[in-house]
Amino acid sequence: MSHTVLVTGGAGYIGSHVAVELIEAGYEVVVADNMSNCDMTCFEGVKKVTGRSDIPFYKIDCCDAESVARIFKEYRIDALIHFAAFKAVGESVAEPLKYFRNNLDSFMTVLGAAAGNGGCNVLFSSSATVYGEADSLPVTENSPRKPATSPYGATKQMCEDILEHTVKAGIGIKGTALRYFNPVGAHPSALLGELPRGVPNNLIPYVTQTAIGKRECLSIFGDDYPTPDGTCLRDYIDVTDLAKAHVAAVGRMIGGKMKRDYEIFNIGTGTPVSVLEIVRTFEQANGVKLNYRMAPRRPGDVTAIWADPSLANRELGWKAERRLSDTLESAWAWERHLAGKDD
Ligand code: WQD
């Protein structure tokens, strides 16, 4: 008998990649998305990659309790993965109430529907941003969370706490928080990937848009950091590897293998990579020359952060496998697909 997983925000970048891996692992998937931050490109890609044209899709706002409750009435939901949230760090600083209202209300609404339906396994899309500027690296799940440097980061910390307390209430909710490091790349099929709206905030889409000519020049924010080459260090995790971690976590929850009713896992490669290394690897992997310049530091950036992923490796039986060069090739193939320049 197959199990059914509700993926909120499932038409978005990470949600769509997770939907693909869940379906390919034998799960039934129901997708809910209000399409406020994406179009149907990735969801159509999910259907093409999996060959499934019958994936249930609800265009709803996860803050709407009635709409969410309807899904639980129409399907037996064995696990819920919550991606539906706003995620632009800079925008969250300018519009904090928009972020607190949407990101907290949507999560509490889906949790309420799950609890009202007799309980559920809930997986929350968290972020390494909860660690802030860590005192020591790599960070483990026991590394202290630092005061959030943005409302976006604050909502991730608050949603982790909301989930933990809801689990503790003993109302049938079990919870897992996956703390992603930097999700990058696109599905190898080049049929789904990152679709930033407007000027990309994140590094990789800015790199690919510069390479394809949509952007004039990549600005590297700071080359005077205390790192080997002066640019910031991050843990860039391939989005397909990240998606597979969700499948492993869902299997653990549904299979009753959790050791505690609320668990946290770092999902990263464990390998720090600098911005300049990203640029050089991208150029070598794709045979393109990137136009870039050194620019002042970006406020709010941490110097370095990368994961100790050993808990996820051990307990989830999951490990990041894709090479960075392959990931950057997939990002480039996706950008070329978007420009209609498929090879
Ligand atoms: C990476 C590095 C920049 C753009 C954030 C969130 C995280 C997650 C991913 C949402 C930094 C540098 C970037 C550019 C650059 N959230 N950079 N030029 O800030 O590590 O993480 O996004 O998905 O929770 O905190 O990711 O890709 O913005 O930056 O030099 O044009 O690239 O300074 O060092 P970040 P990023």
Side-chain angles (χ1 to χ4, degrees):
M1 177 191 70
S2 65
H3 295 287
T4 301
V5 182
L6 170 59
V7 183
T8 70
Y13 172 41
I14 301 172
S16 58
H17 285 80
V18 169
V20 165
E21 298 305 323
L22 284 168
I23 290 167
E24 293 188 345
Y27 290 94
E28 289 303 311
V29 166
V30 176
V31 171
D33 204 306
N34 68 359
M35 311 307 294
S36 65
N37 197 25
C38 64
D39 60 25
M40 290 302 276
T41 304
C42 288
F43 185 66
E44 291 307 321
V46 174
K47 294 197 279 189
K48 287 189 196 118
V49 168
T50 61
R52 293 285 300 273
S53 57
D54 60 340
I55 304 168
F57 178 83
Y58 288 78
K59 185 176 182 301
I60 62 157
D61 189 326
C62 287
C63 296
D64 177 348
E66 201 178 312
S67 302
V68 177
R70 189 167 70 245
I71 300 175
F72 280 90
K73 285 195 186 69
E74 292 174 4
Y75 292 89
R76 194 207 62 228
I77 303 296
D78 299 294
L80 154 74
I81 306 181
H82 186 65
F83 293 105
F86 296 147
K87 62 158 204 163
V89 175
E91 183 189 59
S92 77
V93 174
E95 300 185 73
L97 295 180
K98 171 182 172 184
Y99 271 68
F100 287 119
R101 184 176 306 284
N102 181 68
N103 291 9
L104 300 183
D105 190 1
S106 61
F107 190 42
M108 289 189 286
T109 300
V110 298
L111 279 177
N117 186 59
C120 192
N121 297 295
V122 176
L123 197 158
F124 173 64
S125 162
S126 191
S127 165
T129 201
V130 304
Y131 295 115
E133 186 90 58
D135 300 326
S136 66
L137 290 166
V139 289
T140 72
E141 289 80 0
N142 298 316
S143 296
R145 294 187 320 183
K146 291 291 186 70
T149 53
S150 70
Y152 161 80
T155 66
K156 290 301 182 185
Q157 292 181 349
M158 291 173 179
C159 284
E160 286 190 356
D161 295 342
I162 289 167
L163 181 52
E164 184 173 16
H165 286 285
T166 304
V167 166
K168 281 180 180 163
I171 53 177
I173 299 283
K174 292 200 174 148
T176 301
L178 296 186
R179 290 175 177 166
Y180 313 156
F181 284 69
N182 285 61
V184 290
H187 191 267
S189 66
L191 291 172
L192 54 156
E194 199 165 1
L195 268 175
R197 290 202 159 160
V199 179
N201 297 302
N202 294 134
L203 177 62
I204 302 307
Y206 208 107
V207 164
T208 58
Q209 289 189 13
T210 302
I212 203 123
K214 273 180 80 171
R215 304 289 162 204
E216 179 62 36
C217 177
L218 167 73
S219 298
I220 294 182
F221 299 139
D223 64 349
D224 59 349
Y225 284 96
T227 62
D229 66 15
T231 64
C232 292
L233 294 168
R234 294 290 184 274
D235 184 330
Y236 294 97
I237 173 81
D238 182 279
V239 66
T240 297
D241 278 335
L242 175 62
K244 289 184 165 131
H246 289 73
V247 177
V250 163
R252 177 184 176 89
M253 299 175 94
I254 290 179
K257 298 191 175 67
M258 296 173 83
K259 291 184 175 167
R260 281 174 304 287
D261 287 346
Y262 175 63
E263 294 183 322
I264 297 171
F265 296 101
N266 283 342
I267 304 301
T269 66
T271 304
V273 174
S274 75
V275 179
L276 267 175
E277 285 172 311
I278 287 286
V279 170
R280 293 197 179 114
T281 307
F282 180 85
E283 289 182 321
Q284 285 156 16
N286 297 305
V288 298
K289 194 85 190 82
L290 205 56
N291 185 24
Y292 67 89
R293 68 182 181 95
M294 290 306 169
R297 294 183 176 191
R298 179 173 69 174
D301 276 339
V302 299
T303 302
I305 184 160
W306 68 93
D308 172 347
S310 54
L311 187 66
N313 300 160
R314 187 173 65 250
E315 295 297 328
L316 298 182
W318 167 89
K319 190 170 170 54
E321 292 168 349
R322 282 171 64 88
R323 292 180 315 166
L324 181 62
S325 56
D326 294 337
T327 299
L328 295 175
E329 276 184 44
S330 71
W332 181 228
W334 167 244
E335 190 68 56
R336 292 175 60 75
H337 169 75
L338 290 175
K341 294 178 179 175
D342 279 337
D343 297 329

